[in-house]
Amino acid sequence: MKQVYLDHAATTPLDKRVLDAMKPYFSEKFGNASSLHSFGTDAMEAIEKARESIAKVINAKSEEIVFTSGGTESDNLALQEIGYSNRGKGNHIITTKIEHHAVENTCKFLEKDGFEVTWLDVDKEGFVDLNELEKSITGKTILVSVMHANNEIGTIEPVAEIGKICKSKGVYFHTDTVQSLGKEKIDVEAMNIDLLSASAHKFYGPKGIGFLYVRKGTKINPLMQGGIHEKGLRPGTENVPGIVGMEKALNLAEKEMEKENIKERKLAKKIVEGVLKIENSWINGPPVGKKRLSNNINLGFDFVEGESMVLMLSDKGIAASTGSACSTKSLKPSHVLRAIGLQLVKCHGSLRVSLGKGTSAKDINYFLQELKPIVKRLREISPLGGK
Amino acid sequence: MYSKKVLETFRFPKNIGEIKNPDGLGKVGNPTCGDVMWVYIKVNKNKKGQEIIKDIKVKTFGCVAAISTSSVLTTMAKGMTLEDALKIDKQKIAKELGGLPPSKMHCSVLSMEGLRKAIEDYKNKKASAD
């Protein structure tokens, strides 16, 4: 059966060139970077080369990059440790209602521990209100955390403006760029970013590796106790193949960014045009364009439930995802869709399609061709709507 | 996450649709929760004079488990006496499907309630007609 993978926001396939770059570091160059012998120094050199190269991509200094196990760890390190290390100054953190669970639940954890968290609203396309954000900053505020691009609806937040506000108010600014790094240009200097989370498997790198950028001079302590790795901020033997792979993947993504974005936006438009021909359907998030991740489309259909749609698509070889409550263990609908003001009943009918390097116009035609009868069939089964 | 039987039933659900002028109709669920089921029944008497479910159809808005439990409910209940049909519970429905994930057990509850409500509707109509 034809296989069409339209879930790149969940994860991406490892680029073959990345795999080739990683291969020697599994068995030949297997050394522990902390060792003094040549096996160790070879590993250390590879790590430092990668660190420098990754830093360059976001206009940071090499020593400001801390390797972690991925986005979730980076977010936890940033939020918990900025929180606990700066409690002397204040206990107030500002974030949004549409963050990834890694930020959302870390903030909730901190809330339980006595921190005060302001959850900023977003508008119907998912954008934060800069005035609201600025007004929320008090003398007790230590950190503002706003994601760069939303994983469900693709909204690209105005991080440069947020960075400017935070800088002028003297509070740390953290941004989760897990969905955007490799797809959008990021410059930590120009954007006044103090901390930035990233994960390699979202840009055709390996899973289990990511990094946290921490601006030099930032007051922060390690989340875990252990050896003195990563300037004492992240103990544990370094994942050398992962780090090498992430560097390769990021540089490839940067090089291919422009071309990919143009292609993906074209395909995204094609999907939107095709889907809106289906009655009682809509698009969640901003219109396709510069303010939306090039590869993200979030669709909505009345009278059908997302999990059923996803499984029926899967039977046709198409991989997509949904924000429906029924697809989660918690049975709660997407907090992002709720935050943009979508009615509960409409949240269940959402379908996220995320494109990637391998996606072709043919794939999109196939998707559209298969989607229509699936929506029709589920509406026939449904007692709602009265088609 | 789902058993083979759940997926199979979801792919080829039985008795989906509506019955015109049903003897009983049970509407359960809530669209904001993500599951809605409408259970339609036709009631007849068997040779022993017992009331049985002659025909049953269901319309469902919901997830894979909701659609599967709807289908399996109808295949279980069809031909049963009303008395026996009222004994169909969430465990029996889940068992028929080779088990349900814990977070989806409420779907079998919904199916059970849908049928019970349809039977109740039938009995109420009958009582008011008498």
Side-chain angles (χ1 to χ4, degrees):
Chain A
M1 189 179 26
K2 192 173 166 64
Q3 292 272 326
V4 175
Y5 184 78
L6 298 175
D7 203 11
H8 292 82
T11 195
T12 56
L14 189 78
D15 190 300
K16 295 276 184 306
R17 295 166 290 181
V18 173
L19 181 62
D20 287 341
M22 291 171 74
K23 268 181 188 163
Y25 293 93
F26 286 105
S27 52
E28 289 160 51
K29 303 183 179 182
F30 62 89
N32 183 327
S34 298
S35 304
L36 292 177
H37 44 67
S38 66
F39 294 87
T41 51
D42 281 356
M44 180 56 87
E45 263 172 38
I47 291 173
E48 292 315 314
K49 227 178 99 195
R51 197 189 307 277
E52 208 182 318
S53 163
I54 288 170
K56 221 177 247 169
V57 170
I58 59 167
N59 193 22
K61 296 179 195 75
S62 184
E63 65 266 32
E64 293 173 320
I65 304 295
V66 179
F67 293 121
T68 68
S69 64
T72 295
E73 188 191 332
S74 296
D75 286 340
N76 269 272
L77 175 57
L79 283 123
Q80 287 198 49
E81 292 310 319
I82 287 293
Y84 290 121
S85 310
N86 295 277
R87 231 175 175 173
K89 188 197 163 200
N91 69 339
H92 182 224
I93 294 167
I94 298 169
T95 188
T96 77
K97 288 187 178 165
I98 62 163
E99 297 298 311
H100 185 272
H101 291 308
V103 167
E104 186 198 5
N105 286 333
T106 306
C107 284
K108 284 184 181 161
F109 167 84
L110 291 170
E111 240 175 355
K112 274 189 200 147
D113 203 25
F115 284 88
E116 201 186 302
V117 178
T118 298
W119 302 89
L120 294 172
D121 285 319
V122 294
D123 68 15
K124 64 182 194 328
E125 291 183 352
F127 294 103
V128 290
D129 182 329
L130 293 171
N131 289 326
E132 202 63 38
L133 186 142
E134 188 163 6
K135 272 194 289 181
S136 305
I137 299 174
T138 72
K140 292 274 175 213
T141 309
I142 48 179
L143 176 69
V144 171
S145 180
V146 177
M147 71 198 325
H148 187 200
N150 184 268
N151 47 311
E152 290 186 40
I153 56 172
T155 313
I156 299 174
E157 300 294 344
V159 285
E161 283 81 354
I162 297 168
K164 214 167 163 184
I165 294 169
C166 292
K167 193 182 180 191
S168 76
K169 299 274 186 178
V171 300
Y172 290 126
F173 173 40
H174 166 253
T175 184
D176 179 328
T177 67
V178 166
Q179 289 292 337
S180 59
L181 189 63
K183 294 189 199 79
E184 289 293 317
K185 282 263 173 243
I186 295 171
D187 182 325
V188 293
E189 287 306 322
M191 293 170 161
N192 289 300
I193 295 165
D194 298 309
L195 302 111
L196 172 155
S197 303
S199 177
H201 76 100
K202 305 288 191 187
F203 48 80
Y204 309 90
K207 293 172 181 65
I209 187 76
F211 70 87
L212 179 68
Y213 154 79
V214 184
R215 180 179 291 279
K216 207 176 167 186
T218 300
K219 204 173 162 193
I220 188 167
N221 287 298
L223 188 63
M224 292 188 287
Q225 305 308 313
I228 312 289
H229 304 81
E230 299 297 297
K231 303 232 151 32
L233 208 50
R234 206 281 187 171
T237 300
E238 294 88 345
N239 173 357
V240 187
I243 292 168
V244 169
M246 175 160 65
E247 185 279 328
K248 182 73 182 173
L250 183 56
N251 272 296
L252 288 172
E254 284 289 307
K255 254 184 232 144
E256 295 163 7
M257 182 189 289
E258 223 181 290
K259 188 184 87 195
E260 272 309 310
N261 284 0
I262 291 171
K263 180 200 91 178
E264 286 172 1
R265 287 209 167 96
K266 225 185 206 169
L267 295 179
K269 272 194 186 139
K270 193 176 165 75
I271 291 181
V272 171
E273 280 162 19
V275 165
L276 290 183
K277 283 185 196 147
I278 299 175
E279 266 178 57
N280 298 308
S281 66
W282 68 91
I283 307 298
N284 294 309
V288 175
K290 295 269 178 241
K291 289 184 170 182
R292 180 172 196 137
L293 273 182
S294 57
N295 73 332
N296 170 291
I297 308 106
N298 192 306
L299 311 162
F301 302 93
D302 278 317
F303 322 127
V304 294
E305 189 282 320
E307 191 196 66
S308 295
M309 243 187 311
V310 166
L311 205 89
M312 285 180 131
L313 284 166
S314 175
D315 283 349
K316 297 287 176 191
I318 300 164
S321 80
T322 174
S324 166
C326 305
S327 70
T328 65
K329 286 190 179 118
S330 66
L331 296 178
K332 280 188 188 140
S334 151
H335 64 291
V336 176
L337 298 180
R338 292 294 287 147
I340 60 169
L342 201 65
Q343 285 173 285
L344 260 173
V345 61
K346 286 185 178 269
C347 293
H348 300 303
S350 78
L351 185 74
R352 182 187 69 180
V353 174
S354 46
L355 317 175
K357 282 204 282 201
T359 314
S360 66
K362 250 188 188 163
D363 292 338
I364 301 310
N365 288 337
Y366 179 67
F367 164 71
L368 290 170
Q369 171 204 313
E370 295 300 331
L371 177 69
K372 282 170 202 167
I374 287 172
V375 171
K376 186 168 173 261
R377 169 74 177 138
L378 286 170
R379 282 179 177 167
E380 279 164 6
I381 292 177
S382 172
L384 306 179
K387 46 267 119 214
Chain B
M1 157 182 176
Y2 287 123
S3 73
K4 253 188 168 164
K5 184 83 192 280
V6 170
L7 294 172
E8 211 174 277
T9 311
F10 169 75
R11 285 183 182 117
F12 305 101
K14 297 205 169 76
N15 302 310
I16 299 294
E18 52 196 280
I19 296 174
K20 287 235 163 83
N21 308 314
D23 294 329
L25 172 59
K27 295 184 179 181
V28 287
N30 183 337
T32 60
C33 302
D35 302 300
V36 180
M37 282 179 210
W38 290 6
V39 180
Y40 302 78
I41 54 168
K42 271 278 185 204
V43 177
N44 237 339
K45 279 191 177 150
N46 64 10
K47 282 175 192 160
K48 287 183 198 161
Q50 295 166 308
E51 287 179 312
I52 61 157
I53 295 179
K54 172 89 169 84
D55 197 11
I56 176 166
K57 285 215 154 51
V58 62
K59 291 201 103 176
T60 303
F61 162 76
C63 65
V64 174
I67 291 173
S68 300
T69 56
S70 307
S71 167
V72 90
L73 171 87
T74 64
T75 50
M76 285 169 84
K78 206 166 184 173
M80 265 188 182
T81 62
L82 294 190
E83 202 183 329
D84 285 343
L86 285 168
K87 288 183 197 141
I88 295 175
D89 62 15
K90 63 175 181 185
Q91 272 85 16
K92 283 181 188 153
I93 293 169
K95 202 175 156 209
E96 189 76 13
L97 282 167
L100 276 173
S103 66
K104 298 289 184 171
M105 276 306 282
H106 69 278
C107 294
S108 60
V109 176
L110 202 64
S111 305
M112 171 194 88
E113 286 173 352
L115 177 60
R116 289 183 184 180
K117 229 172 160 185
I119 294 173
E120 191 187 304
D121 180 49
Y122 162 71
K123 286 183 173 168
N124 286 342
K125 273 188 198 159
K126 203 177 126 192
S128 60
D130 282 347

Short mmCIF file of all heavy atoms in Angstrom, two decimals, chain A residues 126-147:
data_model
loop_
_atom_site.label_atom_id
_atom_site.label_comp_id
_atom_site.label_asym_id
_atom_site.label_seq_id
_atom_site.Cartn_x
_atom_site.Cartn_y
_atom_site.Cartn_z
N GLY A 126 -3.89 32.15 17.64
CA GLY A 126 -2.86 31.59 18.52
C GLY A 126 -1.76 32.57 18.92
O GLY A 126 -0.78 32.17 19.53
N PHE A 127 -1.92 33.85 18.58
CA PHE A 127 -0.87 34.83 18.89
C PHE A 127 -1.04 35.43 20.29
O PHE A 127 -2.16 35.74 20.69
CB PHE A 127 -0.85 35.96 17.85
CG PHE A 127 -0.46 35.49 16.48
CD1 PHE A 127 -1.42 35.31 15.50
CD2 PHE A 127 0.87 35.21 16.19
CE1 PHE A 127 -1.06 34.85 14.23
CE2 PHE A 127 1.23 34.75 14.93
CZ PHE A 127 0.27 34.59 13.95
N VAL A 128 0.10 35.62 20.98
CA VAL A 128 0.03 36.29 22.28
C VAL A 128 -0.09 37.80 22.03
O VAL A 128 0.32 38.31 20.99
CB VAL A 128 1.29 36.04 23.15
CG1 VAL A 128 1.35 34.61 23.63
CG2 VAL A 128 2.56 36.41 22.42
N ASP A 129 -0.65 38.46 23.03
CA ASP A 129 -0.81 39.91 22.96
C ASP A 129 0.40 40.53 23.66
O ASP A 129 0.60 40.33 24.86
CB ASP A 129 -2.13 40.27 23.67
CG ASP A 129 -2.43 41.76 23.62
OD1 ASP A 129 -1.46 42.56 23.61
OD2 ASP A 129 -3.61 42.11 23.62
N LEU A 130 1.19 41.29 22.92
CA LEU A 130 2.42 41.84 23.47
C LEU A 130 2.16 42.82 24.61
O LEU A 130 2.92 42.87 25.57
CB LEU A 130 3.24 42.51 22.37
CG LEU A 130 3.81 41.54 21.31
CD1 LEU A 130 4.42 42.30 20.15
CD2 LEU A 130 4.84 40.60 21.92
N ASN A 131 1.07 43.59 24.50
CA ASN A 131 0.74 44.54 25.57
C ASN A 131 0.40 43.80 26.85
O ASN A 131 0.83 44.17 27.94
CB ASN A 131 -0.46 45.42 25.18
CG ASN A 131 -0.07 46.41 24.10
OD1 ASN A 131 1.07 46.90 24.09
ND2 ASN A 131 -0.99 46.68 23.20
N GLU A 132 -0.38 42.74 26.67
CA GLU A 132 -0.77 41.90 27.81
C GLU A 132 0.47 41.33 28.48
O GLU A 132 0.61 41.34 29.70
CB GLU A 132 -1.65 40.76 27.25
CG GLU A 132 -2.57 40.09 28.23
CD GLU A 132 -3.61 41.04 28.80
OE1 GLU A 132 -4.15 41.91 28.07
OE2 GLU A 132 -3.84 40.91 29.99
N LEU A 133 1.38 40.87 27.63
CA LEU A 133 2.62 40.28 28.15
C LEU A 133 3.41 41.32 28.94
O LEU A 133 3.83 41.07 30.07
CB LEU A 133 3.45 39.74 26.98
CG LEU A 133 4.72 38.97 27.33
CD1 LEU A 133 4.91 37.79 26.37
CD2 LEU A 133 5.97 39.82 27.30
N GLU A 134 3.57 42.48 28.36
CA GLU A 134 4.35 43.53 29.03
C GLU A 134 3.71 43.95 30.35
O GLU A 134 4.39 44.13 31.36
CB GLU A 134 4.50 44.74 28.10
CG GLU A 134 5.47 45.77 28.65
CD GLU A 134 5.96 46.76 27.59
OE1 GLU A 134 5.47 46.71 26.44
OE2 GLU A 134 6.86 47.57 27.92
N LYS A 135 2.37 44.04 30.33
CA LYS A 135 1.66 44.45 31.55
C LYS A 135 1.78 43.41 32.66
O LYS A 135 1.67 43.73 33.84
CB LYS A 135 0.16 44.67 31.24
CG LYS A 135 -0.14 46.09 30.78
CD LYS A 135 -1.64 46.37 30.80
CE LYS A 135 -2.36 45.60 29.71
NZ LYS A 135 -3.78 45.78 29.59
N SER A 136 1.97 42.15 32.26
CA SER A 136 2.03 41.06 33.25
C SER A 136 3.35 41.04 34.01
O SER A 136 3.45 40.41 35.06
CB SER A 136 1.84 39.71 32.56
OG SER A 136 0.66 39.70 31.82
N ILE A 137 4.37 41.67 33.45
CA ILE A 137 5.68 41.64 34.10
C ILE A 137 5.68 42.54 35.33
O ILE A 137 5.33 43.72 35.24
CB ILE A 137 6.80 42.06 33.12
CG1 ILE A 137 6.84 41.08 31.93
CG2 ILE A 137 8.17 42.10 33.82
CD1 ILE A 137 7.81 41.47 30.81
N THR A 138 6.03 41.96 36.48
CA THR A 138 6.09 42.74 37.72
C THR A 138 7.52 42.67 38.27
O THR A 138 8.39 42.01 37.68
CB THR A 138 5.14 42.15 38.79
OG1 THR A 138 5.69 40.91 39.26
CG2 THR A 138 3.75 41.92 38.25
N GLY A 139 7.74 43.30 39.40
CA GLY A 139 9.04 43.27 40.05
C GLY A 139 9.43 41.86 40.50
O GLY A 139 10.59 41.58 40.76
N LYS A 140 8.43 40.99 40.59
CA LYS A 140 8.66 39.62 41.05
C LYS A 140 8.91 38.65 39.89
O LYS A 140 9.18 37.46 40.10
CB LYS A 140 7.43 39.12 41.84
CG LYS A 140 7.21 39.83 43.15
CD LYS A 140 8.04 39.16 44.24
CE LYS A 140 7.95 39.90 45.56
NZ LYS A 140 9.20 39.81 46.31
N THR A 141 8.74 39.14 38.67
CA THR A 141 8.87 38.24 37.52
C THR A 141 10.33 37.87 37.28
O THR A 141 11.19 38.75 37.24
CB THR A 141 8.29 38.92 36.25
OG1 THR A 141 6.99 39.39 36.54
CG2 THR A 141 8.24 37.95 35.08
N ILE A 142 10.58 36.57 37.12
CA ILE A 142 11.95 36.15 36.82
C ILE A 142 12.09 35.60 35.41
O ILE A 142 13.16 35.61 34.84
CB ILE A 142 12.47 35.11 37.85
CG1 ILE A 142 11.44 34.01 38.08
CG2 ILE A 142 12.82 35.80 39.16
CD1 ILE A 142 11.91 32.94 39.06
N LEU A 143 10.99 35.09 34.86
CA LEU A 143 11.11 34.42 33.57
C LEU A 143 9.85 34.55 32.73
O LEU A 143 8.74 34.46 33.25
CB LEU A 143 11.39 32.91 33.82
CG LEU A 143 11.45 31.98 32.62
CD1 LEU A 143 12.68 32.25 31.76
CD2 LEU A 143 11.44 30.52 33.06
N VAL A 144 10.06 34.75 31.43
CA VAL A 144 8.96 34.68 30.46
C VAL A 144 9.29 33.53 29.53
O VAL A 144 10.40 33.44 29.02
CB VAL A 144 8.84 36.00 29.66
CG1 VAL A 144 7.84 35.84 28.51
CG2 VAL A 144 8.43 37.15 30.57
N SER A 145 8.34 32.60 29.37
CA SER A 145 8.56 31.48 28.45
C SER A 145 7.45 31.44 27.43
O SER A 145 6.29 31.19 27.76
CB SER A 145 8.62 30.16 29.24
OG SER A 145 8.83 29.09 28.34
N VAL A 146 7.80 31.71 26.17
CA VAL A 146 6.82 31.69 25.08
C VAL A 146 7.42 30.87 23.94
O VAL A 146 8.55 31.13 23.51
CB VAL A 146 6.48 33.11 24.58
CG1 VAL A 146 5.52 33.05 23.39
CG2 VAL A 146 5.89 33.96 25.70
N MET A 147 6.69 29.90 23.47
CA MET A 147 7.21 29.05 22.40
C MET A 147 7.38 29.85 21.11
O MET A 147 6.66 30.81 20.86
CB MET A 147 6.27 27.86 22.17
CG MET A 147 4.95 28.21 21.53
SD MET A 147 3.64 26.93 21.72
CE MET A 147 4.49 25.40 21.65
#
